Amino acid sequence: MMNAEPMLAGVELGGTKVFVLRARGRTILGREIIPTTTPADTLSRAVAILERWHAETPFAAIGIGSFGPLRLDRRAPDFGFMLPTPKPDWAGADIFGTLTAPFDCPAAIDTDVNGAALAESRWGAGAQADGPSDSLCYITIGTGVGGGFAFNGRTVHGAMHPEIGHIRVPRAPGDRFAGSCPFHGDCIEGLVSGPALAKRFGVPGHEIDAADPRWDDVANDIAHLVSTILLSTAARQVLIGGGVGMGRVDLLNRIREKVVAQLGGYLPHVDSDRVSRIVTAPLLGDQAGPLGTVALAMDALEGAGIN
């Protein structure tokens, strides 16, 4: 008896490792992990895995979620290419073309955080209400800071994709940390990413006690980012993921308190009783990114999400 669900492939391209997977529906059937090295080596190894699986059971569609910045305008001659990035050797890499050229099937590419937002809106935190959330932001705080948006079942991008990691936020009084972003210094990525915390604290963030008062400045910075998103996009939920975001429940509670204080009652639905449902952790955990590639493949197959 034939399985009603088509075989889908996904590639989640991260700054340090790559997940290559195949799935039927949202059930992941196989997964392989390779390190992110040079574009030629990394992408060729991912293609080799896909070709091996495709020879066994052809894919109906492929979804790609990648770190950015990416060119996502299908009308552009460099669609699917990596734009200028601080990651050595990756600027100008043809992500989409290299990963999809051997396969005659629909394919979609988006940022990894947009994919994660899409998965969370359909199957995770956004699906805990009455149907998928119509407006959700997924923030990942790890090696960098990125943000993805899933609004009305679609990811959000225009001239580019959202780059909320490079927003500047009001600093806490007395906080003189200069930041670590090579482009902007004290943008939010330069203040709260993993490398920024190591520079701010002098040791990796996970080694710092939760009671250290410097965490209050970090919570202030992240809360201002969340407040900015709530005010500017009207998102119903803001999820905070990534190694930093999901690794410290105590930090999330501080962020919530500061969001309520910073908004000052202007958004009546964001109060101390409801903020924990609005500013929360991803329900899918570290599976949001891989499942995001599955969601993108589904959209490619259905003719949605392709613009």
Side-chain angles (χ1 to χ4, degrees):
M1 184 171 133
M2 293 184 64
N3 194 313
E5 297 279 3
M7 185 68 79
L8 304 171
V11 179
E12 185 191 12
L13 180 61
T16 58
K17 59 188 174 183
V18 180
F19 290 92
V20 186
L21 59 92
R22 56 179 168 175
R24 288 193 188 275
R26 57 177 289 196
T27 302
I28 296 175
L29 303 177
R31 181 190 325 230
E32 294 194 21
I33 303 173
I34 57 178
T36 304
T37 56
T38 65
D41 175 68
T42 305
L43 298 177
S44 64
R45 292 178 66 180
V47 167
I49 296 168
L50 294 174
E51 287 180 321
R52 171 161 44 87
W53 286 345
H54 190 67
E56 297 171 7
T57 307
F59 306 130
I62 301 173
I64 302 164
S66 174
F67 71 91
L70 299 172
R71 179 74 71 201
L72 297 178
D73 183 352
R74 284 187 169 261
R75 299 165 296 183
D78 58 348
F79 166 72
F81 279 62
M82 186 71 68
L83 295 171
T85 173
K87 188 164 183 62
D89 303 321
W90 279 85
D94 183 2
I95 309 297
F96 183 80
T98 304
L99 291 174
T100 62
F103 310 104
D104 184 19
C105 65
I109 184 171
D110 213 321
T111 62
D112 48 359
V113 284
N114 258 350
L118 194 61
E120 284 285 349
S121 72
R122 293 180 182 177
W123 307 313
Q128 296 306 291
D130 297 329
S133 173
D134 62 356
S135 51
L136 178 149
C137 175
Y138 182 103
I139 302 173
T140 181
I141 306 175
T143 305
V145 176
F149 293 82
F151 276 43
N152 299 314
R154 299 285 297 276
T155 59
V156 173
H157 37 80
M160 267 185 58
H161 46 79
E163 281 285 5
I164 65 170
H166 297 278
I167 290 174
R168 278 197 168 94
V169 297
R171 305 291 299 277
D175 182 8
R176 297 289 182 263
F177 176 53
S180 65
C181 174
F183 292 96
H184 313 114
D186 65 347
C187 63
I188 191 68
E189 180 170 293
L191 293 174
V192 305
S193 66
L197 293 180
K199 187 174 181 181
R200 185 195 284 254
F201 291 136
V203 294
H206 68 269
E207 297 182 12
I208 303 298
D209 188 87
D212 190 302
R214 290 174 294 181
W215 281 116
D216 207 52
D217 291 341
V218 175
N220 172 82
D221 297 338
I222 299 173
H224 272 299
L225 175 65
V226 172
S227 298
T228 297
I229 290 167
L230 292 173
L231 288 165
S232 61
T233 71
R236 293 187 189 276
Q237 290 178 297
V238 178
L239 313 183
I240 302 179
V244 175
M246 290 188 288
R248 306 200 69 104
V249 175
D250 53 297
L251 181 61
L252 183 58
N253 288 331
R254 288 194 197 190
I255 292 167
R256 288 167 173 155
E257 292 174 3
K258 290 181 180 297
V259 165
V260 173
Q262 288 168 6
L263 290 174
Y266 187 76
L267 298 180
H269 61 288
V270 185
D271 56 27
S272 57
D273 292 330
R274 289 174 284 186
V275 68
S276 63
R277 297 192 297 273
I278 297 168
V279 182
T280 187
L283 188 64
L284 299 175
D286 60 6
Q287 296 304 296
L291 286 171
T293 69
V294 174
L296 291 170
M298 289 178 173
D299 282 358
L301 186 60
E302 296 170 2
I306 307 297
N307 51 23

